[in-house]
Amino acid sequence: MRKMFSVHCTLLHDGAVFLQITSRAASKTYLLIIDNSDLGGSNEVDKLMGRVESTFVKYFSSGNRRKGVKLLRPRNKVERHRTTFTLGILTGCSVALVVSVIVTIHARGLIQHEGGEQYMNIMFPLYRYYFSTSEIIEWIPRDYETLNQWPYMCSLFVFIFLHMFMYGINTYLWRRFRVNYPFIFGLKSGTELGFREIFLLASALSVLTLAAVLSNLDMEMDPRTQRYQTLTELVPAGLVMVLLLITFCPFNIIYRSSRFFLIRCTWHCLLAPFYKVTFSDFFLADQLTSQVQAFRSVQFYICYYGWGDFKRRSNQCLESKVKGTFWKIVAASSSGVTTIFNTYWDIVMDWGLLRKKARNPWLRDKLLISNKAVYFVAMIVNILLRLVWMQLVLDFDEAPFLHRRVVITLVACLEILRRGIWNFFRLENEHFNNVEKYRAIKLSPLPFYYDDQKCL
C-alpha cells in the first residue's frame, strides 16, 4: 500500500515523470489542483497504515513490533552476479575433470593393469562415475562372472547431483510461472534458494566428486603412493565425511538456513508419528522414495568400510536376488497393484487432473501452462516411467548391448527424472489450492501461516 501510494504521488507531483510517461507536459493549474487535493495533502493513508501495522503486531507477532514490521515488509532477495560467475567456473571445472578422468584411465591402461579389474570392481561402486556406452563396451572384462560387480556409471553422488539438477529446473519453472513455492514450503522470505544457488551447489558437488575420483586414480597408479594403499581406499569415505560436515556445519556459511531446514524436515520424516507433518515434510519423503539406489549405495559404504576388509580391497557386500517362481509371482503382483495405485494417486490426487467436468476437460479448471498437450504428455510419461520399475521385479534387467548394472542405473536416473516432472505439477496443484482457499494470493506471499487444523 505504501509503495503504491508513493508511486501515485510521484506521478502526480513530478512534472518530469508525468511528461516521460504521458508525453505531455503537466500544466501549472493541474499541479496546483493536485497539491490542494485530498490525495496530495491528506495523511489518512499514513494513519490507516499505522493502524494496520499496530493491529498486526498485536495479534500476529505477540507485540514484537520489529518482528511484525519485518513480516509486513519482507525484503526482496537480491540476485548476486558472483553466484552466476562461480557457477560458470565450477561447471567448467567439472567438464575438465570429466575429460581428465577419461584420459587418465585410457593413458595409464587401468583395466589392463594388474589388479585393475579388482580396483574397478571395488572402488568404483563407491563413485560409479559415468562413462559413455562405447567406452563401457570397450572396457567390459572378458570374464562374465565378474560383471556382477562391474560399476559402469552413477551412484550416490551422481544420483544426488541429478536430483539437485532437477530441483533447480523445478525452481526456475516455479518462478517463471509465478508459483509461490517459498510460501508452500514454509520458507522464510528472502532465505529460499533460487535456481542459480541450487545449480551452484550441484556443480560444487560434481567438482568434489570428480576431484576425489581423479586423486584416487592417481594414487592407485603412482608407484610412489603404493605404500599408502589404506589412505587411497579411504578417499571415498573422506568425501562422504566432508559432505556430512558441510551439511551439519553450525556456522552461518553455505546457506545455513536451507541446510537446517533440510535437516529438520528429514528429522520430521524419520519421527513422523511424533511431529505434525507439514507439506515440506511429506514432499521431502516423496523425494527420498525416488532415491532407492542411493540408499543402496549408502548400504554399500557401510558394509564395505564397516564389515569388509577395505585395506585388502575385499568386497563381501553382494546383492541378493529374489529366487523362485512363487516369490517372483508374489513380487510382480504386489508391485503391479502398487504401481497402478501410485499412478492413479499421482495424476488424480497429487496433480488434480482427470477432472471430467472441469473447465479444461480431463484436466482441471485452472492451468499454469497454456498448452494443454503438456499435461497429457506428462501423464503418459509418468505412467511409462512408473512401469519401468516393473522390469526390475520381473528380471527384465538386461539388454543386448547393456549390462544389468547399467540398466539398473538408467532406471534409477529415469525415476529421478520422473520425480522432477512430478514436482512441478504437484506444486502447481498446491498453489491453485492455496489461491482458491485464500491461504495465499497468486503473486506475493502472505506474511503469516494459516492453521488448517483449527478449521476441522
Side-chain angles (χ1 to χ4, degrees):
M1 185 184 296
R2 187 184 297 274
K3 290 182 180 179
M4 293 178 63
F5 181 70
S6 62
V7 169
H8 281 293
C9 290
T10 302
L11 292 176
L12 293 173
H13 288 81
D14 196 330
V17 176
F18 185 89
L19 175 62
Q20 182 179 359
I21 295 178
T22 63
S23 300
R24 295 174 59 185
S27 63
K28 294 182 179 180
T29 305
Y30 168 79
L31 295 177
L32 182 60
I33 293 174
I34 292 300
D35 289 336
N36 296 330
S37 65
D38 291 338
L39 181 61
S42 175
N43 59 354
E44 290 298 326
V45 175
D46 291 330
K47 292 180 180 179
L48 178 61
M49 287 190 294
R51 290 198 297 268
V52 171
E53 289 180 357
S54 300
T55 304
F56 182 84
V57 169
K58 179 179 180 180
Y59 292 102
F60 293 98
S61 60
S62 301
N64 189 337
R65 183 171 181 81
R66 175 180 293 183
K67 180 180 178 181
V69 173
K70 188 176 181 180
L71 290 173
L72 282 173
R73 305 172 187 172
R75 296 181 179 179
N76 294 329
K77 188 176 181 180
V78 179
E79 298 291 345
R80 301 183 182 275
H81 295 291
R82 65 183 180 186
T83 301
T84 306
F85 178 76
T86 308
L87 172 61
I89 291 179
L90 292 178
T91 303
C93 292
S94 299
V95 175
L97 287 171
V98 168
V99 176
S100 299
V101 170
I102 296 176
V103 170
T104 300
I105 293 178
H106 273 292
R108 299 192 178 186
L110 178 61
I111 306 302
Q112 291 77 21
H113 188 272
E114 182 180 358
E117 181 178 321
Q118 184 186 18
Y119 174 84
M120 298 296 290
N121 290 341
I122 301 299
M123 294 306 296
F124 262 55
L126 302 176
Y127 304 107
R128 288 192 193 172
Y129 185 68
Y130 171 78
F131 299 99
S132 65
T133 305
S134 60
E135 293 165 338
I136 291 170
I137 295 176
E138 180 182 353
W139 295 342
I140 289 180
R142 300 303 178 185
D143 184 5
Y144 183 79
E145 295 298 328
T146 62
L147 287 175
N148 289 330
Q149 290 297 322
W150 184 260
Y152 293 132
M153 37 205 301
C154 334
S155 179
L156 177 62
F157 304 107
V158 176
F159 290 146
I160 296 176
F161 168 82
L162 181 59
H163 213 134
M164 294 175 65
F165 182 77
M166 291 301 300
Y167 182 68
I169 295 177
N170 289 148
T171 305
Y172 171 78
L173 293 176
W174 291 331
R175 182 171 296 184
R176 170 69 176 78
F177 290 99
R178 298 181 179 273
V179 175
N180 196 1
Y181 70 93
F183 174 82
I184 295 175
F185 288 138
L187 299 171
K188 187 178 179 181
S189 180
T191 63
E192 71 277 3
L193 295 181
F195 65 94
R196 292 184 181 87
E197 289 80 5
I198 297 173
F199 288 150
L200 176 65
L201 293 175
S203 60
L205 175 63
S206 67
V207 169
L208 286 175
T209 304
L210 292 167
V213 172
L214 188 61
S215 62
N216 196 287
L217 286 172
D218 187 71
M219 295 174 67
E220 175 69 22
M221 302 302 297
D222 194 340
R224 294 173 297 180
T225 58
Q226 291 295 326
R227 55 181 178 177
Y228 302 112
Q229 183 177 359
T230 302
L231 181 62
T232 304
E233 300 292 322
L234 290 174
V235 171
L239 178 59
V240 174
M241 293 301 298
V242 168
L243 295 180
L244 290 177
L245 289 176
I246 293 175
T247 302
F248 292 94
C249 178
F251 302 108
N252 191 14
I253 57 175
I254 315 178
Y255 311 112
R256 183 180 65 175
S257 60
S258 298
R259 290 188 286 107
F260 283 13
F261 180 81
L262 176 62
I263 294 172
R264 184 168 62 253
C265 291
T266 305
W267 181 253
H268 290 176
C269 291
L270 295 175
L271 300 177
F274 305 101
Y275 290 94
K276 177 184 175 181
V277 178
T278 61
F279 180 87
S280 57
D281 297 333
F282 69 76
F283 186 86
L284 176 62
D286 285 328
Q287 310 306 307
L288 296 179
T289 59
S290 297
Q291 288 287 0
V292 176
Q293 293 300 324
F295 285 116
R296 290 181 178 177
S297 298
V298 173
Q299 179 186 6
F300 184 87
Y301 269 86
I302 296 174
C303 181
Y304 182 69
Y305 288 107
W307 291 276
D309 189 0
F310 67 90
K311 295 182 180 180
R312 298 182 180 180
R313 194 169 290 167
S314 175
N315 177 25
Q316 299 177 354
C317 307
L318 302 177
E319 296 181 356
S320 60
K321 297 183 63 177
V322 177
K323 297 182 179 180
T325 304
F326 173 77
W327 292 112
K328 288 184 178 180
I329 294 175
V330 172
S333 301
S334 59
S335 299
V337 173
T338 303
T339 300
I340 294 173
F341 177 79
N342 289 339
T343 303
Y344 168 82
W345 193 271
D346 285 344
I347 298 175
V348 178
M349 304 302 295
D350 289 338
W351 293 359
L353 302 178
L354 292 182
R355 308 295 183 184
K356 185 177 180 181
K357 297 181 180 180
R359 187 182 308 167
N360 301 294
W362 297 107
L363 296 177
R364 72 167 91 90
D365 291 336
K366 296 181 180 180
L367 303 174
L368 282 179
I369 304 176
S370 57
N371 189 355
K372 300 178 183 179
V374 173
Y375 293 89
F376 292 103
V377 171
M379 286 189 285
I380 295 174
V381 171
N382 185 77
I383 294 172
L384 293 177
L385 294 182
R386 278 286 188 185
L387 294 175
V388 166
W389 281 102
M390 290 292 294
Q391 57 86 23
L392 295 179
V393 178
L394 300 176
D395 283 343
F396 298 145
D397 51 10
E398 294 192 16
F401 54 91
L402 292 176
H403 183 258
R404 175 177 177 270
R405 289 191 175 275
V406 181
V407 177
I408 293 175
T409 305
L410 286 176
V411 169
C413 292
L414 290 176
E415 169 60 18
I416 296 175
L417 294 176
R418 187 199 68 81
R419 182 59 63 182
I421 298 173
W422 179 90
N423 289 344
F424 175 79
F425 295 104
R426 178 66 184 90
L427 238 68
E428 177 193 5
N429 187 38
E430 186 69 15
H431 173 73
F432 282 127
N433 289 338
N434 287 344
V435 174
E436 292 174 359
K437 297 178 181 179
Y438 302 100
R439 291 182 297 196
I441 58 178
K442 190 171 183 180
L443 298 181
S444 59
L446 288 173
F448 51 86
Y449 303 94
Y450 287 93
D451 191 353
D452 293 337
Q453 299 297 328
K454 295 180 179 180
C455 301
L456 297 179

